[in-house]
Amino acid sequence: MAIKSSLLFLSVSLLVLGCFARRQVSFQNECQIDRLNAREADDKIKSEAGMLEIWNPNHDQFRCAGVTIARKTIERNGLALPEFSNAPQLAFVVQGRGYGGIVVPGCAETFQEGQQQGQQSRGIQDQHQKIRQFREGDVIAIPAGVAHWVYNDGDQPLVLLKLLDTSNFQNQLDQFPRSFFLAGNPKEEHQKLQQYMQQGLHGQEQSPRTTREQCSNVFCGFDARLLAEAFNVDESTARRLQSENDKRGNIVKVKAEDLQVIRPPRIGEEEQEYRHRRSSEYDNGIEETLCTMRLQENIGDPARADIYSPQVGRISTLNSHKLPVLSWIRLSAERGVLYRNGMMVPHWNQNAHSIMYAIRGSARIQIVNNFGQTVFDDRVRKGQVLTVPQNYAVVKRAESEGFEWISFKTNDNAMITPLSGKTSAIRAIPEQVLANAFQISREEARRIKFNVQETTLTTSRSSSERRDDA
């Protein structure tokens, strides 16, 4: 009996370790980086009602982190067609508002069209899964293989920044992003992703691919007669599913009156935040099933900051303790704001890569690798993406217009270790150890330990101020 229990424990342990090791094994030797660059989007794909911008996943920093970054801009009354991906995603609402659906297989269609009293029946009433409303500052979690769609019902363009974690254990294909569309004809996007794949596999044997010129959604490869049987419709209707010769792209224009989905009225932001907080107080992981779990959380509200300084700025973090679904997809996020000349103290990410996107303003950023070499020392401005590999030390200092960013992290409970300040690694080391390590006096070691009293955010001081303090 003891032997059987031991074998069972060993099997489970190996399975768990295999899942956790997937990121490391899949991207072995991908993080030999001696130079980083802040990058803007490499390609733009225009649609009828919006645009998709993609960062080439073959750049060294993205191969190291095992991720792909994309930014989707949906114009007013634009509908991003239903799609799913081979990798889990985190989406951040940079601007605007909208609503959409995240289709969880097997869950009930809890939004149902009612029939008013005295109204004659017009056949089957519509019903569908939950409609989710979101706004600027929301982070939305989308597991791998889960279909989703988005509609912009606001009065300005809706901008979504998306990270696809292609090295995640949920992705059983390869390290390249793949989008599977349920509708439309996103031919240009597929061609671009295939181009990235061929670029990444340069020199390796590739099997020939055949594509239909007229359409490129998942229904295109099926015979129309089989589709007609599967949906119990006529063959002509089945062909419409294939969207042949549809030139609108993956974001299409739909008038508001032509998209009357079943959804509750939009509530005020304050009431929405209150409901989120009230519901999270009672979540214990049992009541929150796959079908009813929260998939989004707002980290743009200053009142929800985890770290705040009136003079310097604020930082809000989102991990699996606050949004339990993140423990499933093993991702987290950080939203930061630095005022003019504000600084986030030097630190390193203990257990995750950090992929940072500049939302507004600009900052001077330095990154140092394990050899003590500066791999990045430059200005990062709005619209650029920069990866900070795990354990690489980094410091940010905002310029005159301030700096705002969103970072996606490849661990659901990502942690940082400051190098200076009240909770830093240096603060935790005895004075005499520092004095001998750096060949300095105990007085100098004491100043290094205690001159900065802040924890994470501090102001950038001039040379004369530092001399006065000394």
Side-chain angles (χ1 to χ4, degrees), residues 231-242:
F231 285 93
N232 193 23
V233 295
D234 58 71
E235 202 169 314
S236 175
T237 301
R239 288 197 183 93
R240 299 300 297 271
L241 296 175
Q242 298 174 328

Side-chain angles (χ1 to χ4, degrees), residues 89-94 102 132-142 160-163 272-273 276 294-301 304 316-319 322-323 325-326 329 331-335 359 405-409:
Q89 305 177 38
L90 277 188
F92 177 74
V93 183
V94 178
I102 299 177
R132 303 172 189 270
Q133 305 186 54
F134 45 83
R135 60 184 176 89
E136 182 177 327
D138 277 357
V139 174
I140 307 163
I142 306 172
L160 297 170
L161 182 75
K162 300 199 302 180
L163 175 136
Q272 185 176 9
E273 294 300 326
H276 276 317
R294 290 184 302 117
L295 298 178
Q296 69 190 72
E297 185 81 11
N298 191 280
I299 59 173
D301 185 354
R304 305 186 70 182
S316 302
T317 58
L318 180 63
N319 55 31
K322 298 179 181 178
L323 189 62
V325 68
L326 295 180
I329 65 175
L331 295 171
S332 58
E334 170 191 272
R335 171 78 163 89
I359 299 173
W405 76 92
I406 176 74
S407 289
F408 298 117
K409 303 197 176 187

Side-chain angles (χ1 to χ4, degrees), residues 6 60 80 117 154 306 314 393:
S6 300
D60 289 344
Q117 188 173 2
D306 298 296
R314 65 181 186 271

Side-chain angles (χ1 to χ4, degrees), residues 109-282:
E109 298 161 341
T110 55
F111 281 38
Q112 301 177 354
E113 188 175 16
Q115 184 173 329
Q116 296 181 354
Q117 188 173 2
Q119 182 181 14
Q120 292 185 351
S121 174
R122 60 178 179 84
I124 299 176
Q125 304 294 305
D126 189 24
Q127 53 186 4
H128 50 71
Q129 287 189 13
K130 180 178 181 177
I131 299 295
R132 303 172 189 270
Q133 305 186 54
F134 45 83
R135 60 184 176 89
E136 182 177 327
D138 277 357
V139 174
I140 307 163
I142 306 172
V146 172
H148 53 278
W149 56 270
V150 176
Y151 181 71
N152 180 2
D153 67 337
D155 55 5
Q156 63 177 324
L158 172 62
V159 181
L160 297 170
L161 182 75
K162 300 199 302 180
L163 175 136
L164 287 81
D165 185 13
T166 51
S167 61
N168 194 284
F169 75 101
Q170 290 188 19
N171 175 21
Q172 300 295 308
L173 293 177
D174 49 42
Q175 70 266 37
F176 299 103
R178 304 187 188 212
S179 295
F180 299 80
F181 282 84
L182 300 185
N185 185 19
K187 179 180 176 182
E188 190 175 352
E189 179 177 341
H190 281 161
Q191 289 176 340
K192 183 56 62 179
L193 293 178
Q194 187 170 346
Q195 179 182 332
Y196 291 152
M197 186 181 300
Q198 292 172 349
Q199 180 184 345
L201 296 173
H202 181 69
Q204 297 185 21
E205 184 178 353
Q206 301 175 49
S207 56
R209 299 176 184 274
T210 57
T211 57
R212 296 181 60 173
E213 291 296 324
Q214 295 85 359
C215 66
S216 55
N217 68 46
V218 296
F219 292 113
C220 292
F222 292 113
D223 184 85
R225 289 170 294 182
L226 289 178
L227 288 177
E229 292 180 25
F231 285 93
N232 193 23
V233 295
D234 58 71
E235 202 169 314
S236 175
T237 301
R239 288 197 183 93
R240 299 300 297 271
L241 296 175
Q242 298 174 328
S243 303
E244 291 190 356
N245 301 313
D246 188 339
K247 306 296 184 183
R248 298 175 299 168
N250 60 9
I251 308 173
V252 302
K253 195 79 171 179
V254 180
K255 295 180 180 179
E257 56 268 25
D258 294 332
L259 194 66
Q260 298 293 323
V261 300
I262 308 162
R263 61 190 176 106
R266 184 180 291 272
I267 61 177
E269 293 182 3
E270 292 184 2
E271 185 180 351
Q272 185 176 9
E273 294 300 326
Y274 173 76
R275 291 186 182 182
H276 276 317
R277 292 174 187 173
R278 289 285 295 173
S279 63
S280 63
E281 289 176 6
Y282 302 103

Side-chain angles (χ1 to χ4, degrees), residues 433-460:
V433 174
L434 294 177
N436 284 279
F438 297 121
Q439 301 184 73
I440 58 178
S441 67
R442 288 193 63 181
E443 290 72 20
E444 290 173 308
R446 189 174 294 113
R447 287 198 294 269
I448 289 174
K449 284 189 65 169
F450 299 109
N451 270 10
V452 176
Q453 294 300 316
E454 296 88 354
T455 56
T456 307
L457 303 178
T458 186
T459 54
S460 180

